[in-house]
Amino acid sequence: MSCAGRILIYGGKGALGSSCVSLFKSKNYWVGSIDLMPNEQADANVVVKPSESWLNQEDEVLKGVESIIGGEKLDAVLCVAGGWAGGNAASKEFIKNADMMWKQSVWTSSIAAALAAKYLKEGGIVTLPGAAPCVGGTAGMMGYGMAKAAVHQLVKSLASKGSGLPANSSAVAILPVTLDTPMNRKFMSEADFTTWTPLEFVAELFFKWTSDGSTRPENGSLVKLVTKEGNTALQNV
């Protein structure tokens, strides 16, 4: 049976990535995953070794992707890779954490953008992971804020004329406040979970944007996910 479409998920073994793999597989999509570990549900995996070099990581990922998709084009490149670390300018771990955030967010989003330029179909979509708090100052998590602000800027650039993306394609960032992940529940067990965005909502949103271009926000949008009492609304920043 032919597949409904083909997508690549950067960060496909994490909490959100795994939710996206499951949903797209249920919709008969071919799904490739890029992560530090394989996702057994995916049709193919590119397993990336942690690297001290951005160039080495790019080379490893691009070669891996070429080997799993061959000459096929993709309907979507969904980057959901990232992490979190705190610290202000006086923190002992400030530069260490900022470096880690850059690797986890900016390296991955930049490589995802390069993959989109090379493998997206005309009219395809690339999504990158922003963060709602990082539209403004983030004194308690400076490295995280800088990295996510760079991702926001990258989306704007990808949506601009001459970005290198295929014709009529879209670049969008989602800006959650807090995602409802097992790790977040573990470390913030006293929080109000009704204000956290369910992973299934994000996966369904990505599916809608991938399968029906008319539902997408404007190219270059930074889409804030605002969840109250278990209901999530979209706000363009």
Side-chain angles (χ1 to χ4, degrees):
M1 187 171 64
S2 63
C3 61
R6 301 172 71 86
I7 68 161
L8 200 58
I9 301 177
Y10 205 137
K13 184 59 174 174
L16 178 55
S18 294
S19 185
C20 292
V21 171
S22 295
L23 180 77
F24 276 90
K25 286 300 299 174
S26 75
K27 304 291 188 181
N28 196 35
Y29 272 69
W30 181 94
V31 179
S33 171
I34 305 169
D35 212 323
L36 299 172
M37 297 181 68
N39 183 315
E40 296 77 9
Q41 272 196 288
D43 293 282
N45 286 275
V46 175
V47 179
V48 183
K49 296 186 295 290
S51 174
E52 287 303 311
S53 164
W54 200 349
L55 288 173
N56 288 349
Q57 189 130 317
E58 179 208 24
D59 184 59
E60 184 181 1
V61 172
L62 263 60
K63 284 180 177 175
V65 169
E66 178 65 34
S67 72
I68 65 171
I69 70 171
E72 298 284 348
K73 292 292 186 178
L74 299 168
D75 297 279
V77 175
L78 310 175
C79 181
V80 292
W84 183 89
N88 63 17
S91 302
K92 183 180 179 181
E93 305 290 306
F94 170 43
I95 302 302
K96 176 185 176 183
N97 285 348
D99 179 60
M100 180 171 65
M101 292 299 92
W102 204 259
K103 288 175 179 176
Q104 291 183 353
S105 288
V106 181
W107 285 21
T108 52
S109 288
S110 301
I111 295 170
L115 290 169
K118 188 170 184 179
Y119 293 114
L120 265 191
K121 293 177 180 176
E122 289 193 4
I125 184 170
V126 54
T127 70
L128 300 182
C134 303
V135 174
T138 54
M141 46 182 186
M142 286 187 175
Y144 180 81
M146 287 191 296
K148 290 299 186 180
V151 173
H152 298 169
Q153 200 282 335
L154 177 57
V155 166
K156 294 294 185 183
S157 293
L158 288 170
S160 301
K161 185 178 179 180
S163 71
L165 290 184
N168 303 314
S169 56
S170 301
V172 179
I174 59 162
L175 278 60
V177 178
T178 307
L179 292 175
D180 192 355
T181 67
M183 195 66 72
N184 283 340
R185 285 193 177 232
K186 178 180 177 181
F187 287 106
M188 294 183 278
S189 59
E190 302 302 313
D192 179 5
F193 300 150
T194 67
T195 64
W196 291 11
T197 303
L199 301 181
E200 296 77 15
F201 176 88
V202 182
E204 288 280 2
L205 186 65
F206 286 158
F207 173 71
K208 185 168 70 170
W209 290 349
T210 299
S211 59
D212 183 359
S214 69
T215 67
R216 296 175 191 169
E218 184 180 351
N219 193 16
S221 290
L222 307 179
V223 182
K224 187 176 180 181
L225 308 181
V226 181
T227 303
K228 293 180 180 178
E229 297 179 350
N231 297 309
T232 302
L234 308 182
Q235 297 179 1
N236 279 357
V237 175

